Amino acid sequence: MNEFKVIPHKGIGPVDLGMTREQVRAVLGAPSHEDAAREKWGISFPAKDYVLNNAFQVSYDSEMNVEFIEAGSDPAFEVTIDGVPVHSSSPETVLAAIREHAEPDKSDDEYPTNQLFPDLELSLFREHGERDRFDAIGISVRGYRDDD
């Protein structure tokens, strides 16, 4: 199994923030699905590639450089942050590792189920409740959420 290390402000596994779409596809292969940039309901949606059974998603800015990376759970790879497996560890263990570096935004509407760490440009998502393990982790370029 491949280990995909999360390094805030840098990347996840073989994909770094700022890489071009061509560079991403060179390391991950052709996507199983891709979305073109579009606008719907007055919301801008970025171009996005889905790879590794759609568990790894890469979003691109208008110049087709990586601006957001999200990693879900898949048997082909294990996502870690500071050596802690994100999807198989308890939420408390994952949060303790991240809180060594930054605190979550407790004013966020989805806190504590989902957690955003603005200083790291890192987010943790789970589909259900705050006691469940995290379903996905994402990192973005600095300023990605400034328009939120």
Side-chain angles (χ1 to χ4, degrees), residues 22-148:
E22 293 77 25
Q23 290 171 319
V24 171
R25 290 179 175 183
V27 295
L28 292 179
S32 54
H33 178 75
E34 66 182 84
D35 288 333
R38 67 196 186 290
E39 207 161 302
K40 188 172 185 176
W41 309 301
I43 302 169
S44 294
F45 293 91
K48 186 184 283 190
D49 284 346
Y50 301 79
V51 294
L52 301 169
N53 298 316
N54 296 338
F56 199 83
Q57 300 175 15
V58 181
S59 298
Y60 302 92
D61 63 19
S62 61
E63 314 211 325
M64 300 309 288
N65 294 313
V66 176
E67 66 177 354
F68 182 77
I69 307 165
E70 181 175 292
S73 179
D74 189 86
F77 60 93
E78 180 174 62
V79 180
T80 63
I81 186 157
D82 283 352
V84 175
V86 173
H87 301 105
S88 60
S89 298
S90 72
E92 296 81 15
T93 302
V94 175
L95 290 170
I98 297 169
R99 285 186 176 142
E100 289 287 321
H101 307 282
E103 287 298 314
D105 178 359
K106 293 180 180 178
S107 69
D108 186 75
D109 292 342
E110 297 181 14
Y111 179 86
T113 301
N114 297 318
Q115 300 211 14
L116 175 63
F117 294 81
D119 291 345
L120 300 176
E121 297 286 351
L122 182 145
S123 47
L124 292 164
F125 307 96
R126 40 189 164 194
E127 191 173 333
H128 300 291
E130 61 187 270
R131 296 188 190 277
D132 293 327
R133 292 178 191 221
F134 291 103
D135 294 308
I137 186 168
I139 63 167
S140 58
V141 296
R142 293 180 199 272
Y144 179 74
R145 290 184 171 75
D146 287 351
D147 294 333
D148 287 354

